[in-house]
Amino acid sequence: MAVQDTSPSVGPMASLDRGQASVQSARPAAKPVRRLPVQKDWRAWALISAQIGILIGGLSLWEIGARAGWIDAFFWSQPSAIAQTMAIFFGSGDAWTDISFTFRSTIFGFLIGTTAGSLLGLSFWWSRNYAAIVQPYVICLESIPKLALAPLIILVFGIGLLSKVAVATALTLVVSTLTANAGVKALDPDGEKLFYSLGASRLQVFRKLVVPFCLPWIISVLRVNIGLALTGAIVGEFIASQHGLGRAILYAGQTYDIALVWVAVLVLSTLAMVMYATVSWVESMLRKGVRQ
Amino acid sequence: MSSLAPKLCVADVSMTFQTPTGAFHALAPITLSIPQGRFVSLIGPSGCGKTTIFNIIAGLLEPTGGRVLIDGIDATGTIGRVGYMLQKDLLLPWRTVLDNVILGMEIQHVPLRAARERALPLLHRYGLAGFEYLYPNALSGGMRQRAALLRTLLFDTDVILLDEPFGALDAQTKLRMQEWLLQLWSDFNKTVLFVTHDVEEAIYLSDEVHVMGTRPGRIIANIPVPLARPRIRGSVLTGEFLAIKERCLELLHLEGTASEQINEAA
Ligand SMILES: Nc1ncnc2c1ncn2[C@@H]1O[C@H](COP(=O)(O)OP(=O)(O)O)[C@@H](O)[C@H]1O
Ligand SMILES: [Mg+2]
């Protein structure tokens, strides 16, 4: 193709034929050559070694720092002391009582709050009037910082397991209610029409349409709720309790036993991770069951 | 009951919606009388009230005037009397195709086992073999419509209402689905009321075509389609077919310009 026209052109052929001068006037300086950045993935063992290396390095620095006096071991403790305290903690038998107490408060609160909340959220499907009356209260409850009510809950339910379960329930209930209700609101009215056109009763629509449709919503808050329930249980123990990892942390802090604080926090984190992983697994099983 | 009574009769049905901006007159009194085993289409511009009529016949909407009679018996406002395929397929994503198709029977308390046994041969015969245990999201648009239509048929009512069942399909699939539907219709001897935008589709499938007008929705003409059955695809090019098509298009066009003038005046 011969380029004979005199009109200014910025096409690639034009630049070939016209020479450099005109190209430079039409374009800014040539772009630098740039390639797509490529990241090479490390192998799994390399990644894990790096992670373990960082952990060991960090702990060693901490230990050395504490011994050399760069870190105040009174406030920060040190890994060797923490390991010793850990052995004592598990040896004395208190560990299992505390773990079991916190575990039970969390699980009961989680189950009660999630179940009751989901049922409450689903119940709004049944009556528009009932929903219109009750929903504002739920939204108010949502906006209250429920942990601020914890002292009151402890007063009412006592310092035993029940009050921790109650705090955990209070935290999880509202979340589940709102989420299940969001599911109900997202329901396609045409889906209900289909069921009614087939002569369905309200109960049939609820069981065969509303519940299965909302299940993914309900499932989606399980992981959030297990975290909230644990928070509720710990805060309950902070306020007044005779057992539990939360109480162990508070007690150790008050007696300046910083190593014990670390131990309790570590055990608590492990408990949290185990519960979180279990709930994630349950969630993925449920999702497979629901198939959405 | 008398065999002379039409299967489905829509007698002077009218509908006025109460909206925040005032009353909206959606349907003028409409009368339809459909004998057993007929295939009748409704065509008309969007918003002329086709879906509203279906909702009223299916008992999902209480008309502000008039009655719906099935076999001569008043069925106004009662549900479960007719099979209704809504404008969307509404397959439940958490159920397999088989379990979607038996939904109507399940709601009517047919034992699951018996319902599945009845549905399986039909799925095989009507093009869903191999899809029985898949979930709807694995199906193409045409397959979804088949499943939705079989669900409607298996509900086992004499009258079925189909609201633009092939509206969202590509041209090829649509033609295949039309043949498929005619096959089903002749096998099951149902009375079909069919809504479509597509004039050719309406004529090709139907014994009669009701042309609707808008503002308020009403029936402006009832055009019989005396073409012999079984019909072949080539019949859409015959003079007889084209004459009917022209008539329908003319009516729709006249109606369109009339409502535009009303709009401009308003
Ligand atoms: N529940 C309702 N409230 C108010 N207006 C409605 C309602 N349902 C339908 N309409 C109106 O009635 C008219 C007919 O609607 P529809 O039957 O869906 O039309 P078509 O199916 O022919 O496209 C439309 O103008 C629509 O806006
Ligand atoms: Mg419609």
Side-chain angles (χ1 to χ4, degrees), chain A residues 188 190-201 204 208-210 212-213 289-292, chain B residues 55 58 60 79-80 82 84 86 88 90 92-95 103-104 106-109 135 151 155:
Chain A
D188 182 355
D190 283 342
E192 291 181 49
K193 269 192 188 156
L194 166 72
F195 272 75
Y196 288 127
S197 81
L198 297 169
S201 65
Q204 281 176 322
K208 294 179 196 293
L209 178 68
V210 180
F213 180 82
V290 173
R291 288 267 181 185
Q292 259 195 317
Chain B
N55 285 339
L60 301 173
I79 58 176
V82 298
Y84 181 12
L86 285 92
K88 304 175 212 163
L90 296 170
L92 306 176
W94 57 86
R95 283 174 173 240
L103 184 66
E106 194 181 319
I107 287 172
Q108 297 302 318
H109 305 288
Y135 288 85
R151 178 183 62 201
F155 182 45

Side-chain angles (χ1 to χ4, degrees), chain A residues 242-266:
Chain A
Q242 288 172 320
H243 305 285
L245 293 168
R247 191 208 68 106
I249 292 172
L250 191 73
Y251 171 80
Q254 283 167 349
T255 56
Y256 296 98
D257 188 349
I258 306 303
L260 187 56
V261 171
W262 282 112
V263 168
V265 168
L266 272 176

Side-chain angles (χ1 to χ4, degrees), chain A residues 3-292:
Chain A
V3 182
Q4 297 288 346
D5 59 323
T6 49
S7 59
S9 167
V10 289
M13 296 306 278
S15 61
L16 279 178
D17 282 344
R18 295 264 182 84
Q20 293 304 337
S22 65
V23 175
Q24 302 252 308
S25 64
R27 288 184 181 185
K31 284 182 183 164
V33 177
R34 199 170 274 167
R35 292 187 191 281
L36 186 68
V38 179
Q39 269 194 30
K40 201 158 168 286
D41 290 333
W42 287 9
R43 297 197 176 272
W45 63 262
L47 293 174
I48 292 172
S49 317
Q51 285 166 341
I52 293 174
I54 290 173
L55 183 66
I56 292 176
L59 289 177
S60 312
L61 277 179
W62 186 359
E63 183 70 34
I64 294 167
R67 291 190 184 195
W70 306 329
I71 296 172
D72 188 342
F74 179 79
F75 284 119
W76 295 102
S77 189
Q78 62 199 76
S80 55
I82 294 171
Q84 273 170 7
T85 312
M86 177 92 81
I88 297 168
F89 184 60
F90 277 96
S92 71
D94 284 352
W96 298 109
T97 323
D98 286 338
I99 291 172
S100 152
F101 187 85
T102 304
F103 177 74
R104 278 178 293 148
S105 343
T106 306
I107 289 296
F108 290 144
F110 168 76
L111 290 178
I112 296 172
T114 306
T115 311
S118 302
L119 290 177
L120 186 59
L122 289 174
S123 75
F124 293 137
W125 175 80
W126 281 90
S127 159
R128 274 197 299 274
N129 294 325
Y130 155 70
I133 292 168
V134 176
Q135 271 169 354
Y137 287 101
V138 175
I139 292 168
C140 282
L141 261 182
E142 158 69 4
S143 60
I144 296 176
K146 278 149 301 278
L147 286 180
L149 290 180
L152 183 70
I153 295 176
I154 305 285
L155 273 182
V156 175
F157 289 98
I159 62 166
L161 187 74
L162 191 61
S163 58
K164 318 303 175 285
V165 173
V167 179
T169 304
L171 284 190
T172 49
L173 183 108
V174 182
V175 178
S176 272
T177 306
L178 289 175
T179 315
N181 190 33
V184 167
K185 279 185 182 153
L187 200 62
D188 182 355
D190 283 342
E192 291 181 49
K193 269 192 188 156
L194 166 72
F195 272 75
Y196 288 127
S197 81
L198 297 169
S201 65
R202 304 252 298 148
L203 185 62
Q204 281 176 322
V205 179
F206 184 71
R207 279 184 30 216
K208 294 179 196 293
L209 178 68
V210 180
V211 173
F213 180 82
C214 293
L215 259 187
W217 265 267
I218 292 171
I219 293 169
S220 72
V221 290
L222 293 185
R223 274 181 293 173
V224 175
N225 270 0
I226 196 75
L228 284 175
L230 187 61
T231 309
I234 298 295
V235 170
E237 291 171 13
F238 275 179
I239 294 170
S241 186
Q242 288 172 320
H243 305 285
L245 293 168
R247 191 208 68 106
I249 292 172
L250 191 73
Y251 171 80
Q254 283 167 349
T255 56
Y256 296 98
D257 188 349
I258 306 303
L260 187 56
V261 171
W262 282 112
V263 168
V265 168
L266 272 176
V267 174
L268 185 60
S269 313
T270 312
L271 181 66
M273 276 190 284
V274 168
M275 288 195 296
Y276 188 83
T278 311
V279 169
S280 303
W281 178 79
V282 169
E283 186 182 320
S284 70
M285 286 297 116
L286 284 173
R287 261 183 216 291
K288 233 181 250 171
V290 173
R291 288 267 181 185
Q292 259 195 317

